[in-house]
Amino acid sequence: MKKIMFDSNIFNKLPRFIKKIKESKKEYSYYISTIQIQELAKIKDNKEEQRISNIIMLADLRAHLVPTSVSVLGEARLGYTRLGDGSVYHKILNDSKNNISDAIITDTAVKEGCI
């Protein structure tokens, strides 16, 4: 079974292809970390109901909530992170460090064996 880690930017598009995802649960297993949930919660707009609906869809898919593979101060959630070497995280992190969440998600996906 192939493992897929959802990135935060996919959540707004989830309703468009949720049916296909549900049909593929025998071939794929789906994963998220606390980072995606934190990013969704921080969005300031009028789409709160859409985000709630999307999180419910993830629950319905039984997406696996996995701890992040690297602990970053201000991003790590107590009880939902591991102390990793950060090898992928440091390769992805850019000079301005404005992609910390993306780097954590990528490191976690690699450590979990996700595509």
Side-chain angles (χ1 to χ4, degrees):
M1 184 173 291
K2 293 182 182 176
K3 298 169 139 185
I4 296 177
M5 173 76 69
F6 284 111
D7 190 21
S8 305
N9 63 2
I10 202 71
F11 291 105
N12 287 341
K13 299 171 186 159
L14 199 54
R16 288 187 229 155
F17 53 84
I18 190 71
K19 185 178 176 187
K20 287 183 181 181
I21 291 174
K22 282 184 175 184
E23 292 169 356
S24 70
K25 287 195 304 188
K26 292 180 182 172
E27 301 167 57
Y28 302 99
S29 55
Y30 300 100
Y31 293 77
I32 59 170
S33 76
T34 56
I35 298 299
Q36 291 95 324
I37 295 168
Q38 288 170 200
E39 285 186 325
L40 286 173
K42 289 178 185 177
I43 296 171
K44 292 179 174 44
D45 62 14
N46 60 354
K47 296 181 182 178
E48 179 181 345
E49 188 55 41
Q50 179 183 351
R51 284 194 305 279
I52 291 169
S53 176
N54 291 348
I55 292 170
I56 290 170
M57 284 182 216
L58 284 176
D60 188 35
L61 284 174
R62 303 207 190 292
H64 302 276
L65 176 64
V66 295
T68 57
S69 59
V70 60
S71 294
V72 176
L73 188 62
E75 300 291 330
R77 303 289 297 186
L78 188 60
Y80 292 95
T81 189
R82 295 173 283 198
L83 295 174
D85 64 6
S87 56
V88 174
Y89 170 82
H90 290 292
K91 288 178 185 174
I92 299 296
L93 193 63
N94 62 25
D95 290 337
S96 63
K97 294 182 176 34
N98 65 355
N99 68 333
I100 291 173
S101 293
D102 292 330
I104 294 171
I105 292 168
T106 304
D107 193 281
T108 303
V110 169
K111 296 298 187 314
E112 290 292 329
C114 296
I115 50 175

